Amino acid sequence: MTSWTREALTYETMVRQGLSSRRPVGVVEAVRSVLALQAQEPAAPYLALWNRIEGFDANDLDRALVDGSIVKASLFRFTLHAVDAGDVPWARAAMQSRVRDAGYHDVLDDIGLSAKRVDEILVHKIHGVVADDARSEVPS
């Protein structure tokens, strides 16, 4: 049996998270490699990608958010994450049992909101925010 030192485990975790060295990859590939990046604070995904991507340009993440290839979604623990848009459906489906187990559906039902309606509201709001951001980038 292999035994691991604390240092070896720490290093392997850094490798798995793409933090052992910056790589020459694109924004979408970097996000997909870790599934999701913390995005509760506006600067968080930019800092996370700067630590992972060689020659990171913040405009690349801006473009990915505007074109919808990367979205911000509340998928885990009701925390906002930046995630590849293609990963949202399966990640949300995987988390549904956790939401049910935690009793959140009951809370939503108590205030008259179905999970489907919450998803509709979020999609509408996310598209509105992305559209507003895109308009604010267009010079007058």
Side-chain angles (χ1 to χ4, degrees), residues 117-132:
R117 181 64 184 132
V118 170
D119 283 345
E120 290 168 355
I121 291 168
L122 289 174
V123 166
H124 174 67
K125 291 292 183 190
I126 289 169
H127 287 290
V129 168
V130 169
D132 289 346

Side-chain angles (χ1 to χ4, degrees), residues 60-136:
D60 294 339
L61 178 55
D62 291 341
R63 279 189 289 278
L65 288 165
V66 169
D67 73 21
S69 55
I70 299 292
V71 296
K72 290 185 179 181
S74 182
L75 296 173
F76 317 105
R77 303 179 321 260
F78 289 107
T79 302
L80 197 59
H81 287 85
V83 62
D84 182 294
D87 289 336
V88 171
W90 72 261
R92 180 167 284 147
M95 295 306 295
Q96 284 302 308
S97 66
R98 295 287 308 267
V99 171
R100 277 191 298 280
D101 294 345
Y104 295 123
H105 284 290
D106 293 339
V107 172
L108 296 175
D109 290 342
D110 288 347
I111 61 172
L113 286 175
S114 67
K116 180 180 178 187
R117 181 64 184 132
V118 170
D119 283 345
E120 290 168 355
I121 291 168
L122 289 174
V123 166
H124 174 67
K125 291 292 183 190
I126 289 169
H127 287 290
V129 168
V130 169
D132 289 346
D133 286 349
R135 280 192 292 277
S136 71

Side-chain angles (χ1 to χ4, degrees), residues 25-44:
V25 297
V27 167
V28 173
E29 183 181 342
V31 170
R32 288 204 83 206
S33 72
V34 293
L35 178 60
L37 296 172
Q38 181 67 250
Q40 209 60 6
E41 296 294 328

